[in-house]
Amino acid sequence: MASFSKENVEQLRSTLQDAIVKCSERCLYQSAKWAAELSSSLSTRLDDQDSETDSDAPMEDTDPRSPGFPIVVSLNSDPGETRLEALEIHKYLLAKSFFDCKEFERCAAVFLPSGVSRGPLHAASPNVSTRSPHKPAKGKSKDPKAEARNYGTESISPPNTLPRLSQKALFLALYAKYMSGEKKKEEESEMILGPADQGSAMNKELVGISRSLEGWFHARKDGQNGGGWLEYLYGIVLAKGKNEEAARGYLIKSVHYFPYNWGAWLELNSLIGNVEELHDIVPNMPQNIMTLIFHLYANQELYQSTEPIHRQLNELETIFPESQFLMTQRALLYYHSKDFDEAESIFSTILHADPHRIDSLDHYSNILYVMSARPKLAFLAQLATATDKFRPETCCVVGNYYSLTSEHEKAVNYFRRALTLDRNFLSAWTLMGHEYVEMKNTHAAIESYRRAVDVNRKDYRAWYGLGQTYEVLEMHLYALFYYQRASSLRPYDPKMWQAVGSCYDKINRPEQSIKAYKRALVAGTYYESGSSFGSGAHSEPTAGVMDPEILFQIALMYEKVEDLEEAAEYMEMTLAQEEGPTGEDEEGDGTRGVGIGVTNTTSKARIWLARWEFGRGGLSRAMELANELCQDGVEVEEAKALIRDLRARMEVEKGT
């Protein structure tokens, strides 16, 4: 990336300030906040700072329209839109005041007649597709991609019944309708995981909004668009209706027309399920700095903590050196690669710079939980509660603290509180599933993990949790399916493949189990040991040492397929991990590195090898291994019994 000049920085700052105002005018407050934080993190020259803070400098007249002057009103380049906005300014200010007071119906009624954007969401809606995973439709199947390509071009497109409004007013009115539907959906929802909570409450305004927007787009002339805002809203509606292909198309149009609406990028990211899908849509993205930020964020969400991603992050930080958003992305990249110390250090730096920032504190609490840093987690819980106790992030921090102190019922209560505040808050669903596993409530755990997957299908922890829970229920085929989904999201995590191998073993498929365990060995070279499930103590691995448990399981699988020679090889490899890998010292002599020492697994391998040597006549080797077991103090009784058998066998051979 070429270095930014002072003029580039000022132009970017002006563009971001414009985005702040435009997002605020449309009540997209989270996108406005994100743009404001990014704008304030832009690099500034020292001489510029000095001139700004010099109180003795004479005041000069400044042109409000100059690039360096902060924007207070947004300008529209379309003369027709500008005229409409000027005519309806009094109505717009009234509607926005209603929206700010959360009177969404009143806001929409300022611009829209009462009959517009009404109607329940049902399966017959031409704009919202439904999914039925259990009962496939009868008759000939249709190509969903072909349907998406023809979406909105068929003759069933409804007429445009909307009054003549500016695009800003139309967006505000329809967005107010959408928010009204979301509010009613929350009111109709039952208690979290209560007896009547099926997670099936729907926004009943979606179908009306969809028809209105479809008619509006259909009535536009070639070359006219919604400025990126109406495309964004239509993309949200289509995504809610599970019409993901069409939703992606409209969201891509939205970021082309107005790239600085971060909400559009977030919605687009939620529709990307894997790295391949990300690579497919990148060529369709606009070529600007927002695409670089999105590419970084999407890769982080897909757990791609690779060297190119870190280089891309370094380049962005040269432009936004104080961006807490970018610092958070770096911390999460380290978290995904299980470098917990580095991730914790970055989050600690962010917290010291802005102690009132609640965003992403749930991830910070996860890191402290894995590290078993109870004092720091207690401090974080107190700080977050003092700042805003009614944020879902705060509830998750407090829930993690109670989970670390083994007060699982209190932890569940706080995770429920987080979901009461935001039912789509992913961390709360996943963490609540973990707690129900600890409490042996498998039914509630499964439901929690399923809700987490519904919110974000890229959450490997939820897939892994489902696998664990079904494994507890001894439903190994179900568990295998979920473990495979988790391993597809985290292909370099040995825990994922180890779980897959264990399931293959339990359904008596040793050949596939061997392949999975070998994948786990390869994956172990990428990540440090730690918990992939979201719990467990933080530990540092010994460099170069393979996991003896995986080696031992591979040996047992070879024993199952009656390949005893290969099984013995892996048992020997298991034993070798006690002393560590072979290396070369300065004099060129072969030496052993620091190993893991004697463990239950290596002792089991030693007794297996002793018996195998005894069976094939290697009595001296068997005696050596049995004596080592007696010295180690593990499997002593079996070792003594084997020694007695060996001595008897040796006496018999001497007598003959």
Side-chain angles (χ1 to χ4, degrees), residues 11 18 48 66 119 168 177 253 301 316 345 372 374 395 470 491 531 564:
Q11 183 180 3
D18 181 55
D48 293 339
S66 62
K168 182 194 295 186
K177 276 292 182 184
K253 288 181 181 179
E301 288 286 297
L316 287 170
S345 176
S372 299
R374 180 174 171 179
C395 297
Y470 277 110
S531 173
L564 297 182

Side-chain angles (χ1 to χ4, degrees), residues 42 201 299 425:
L42 275 168
N299 275 283
F425 197 70

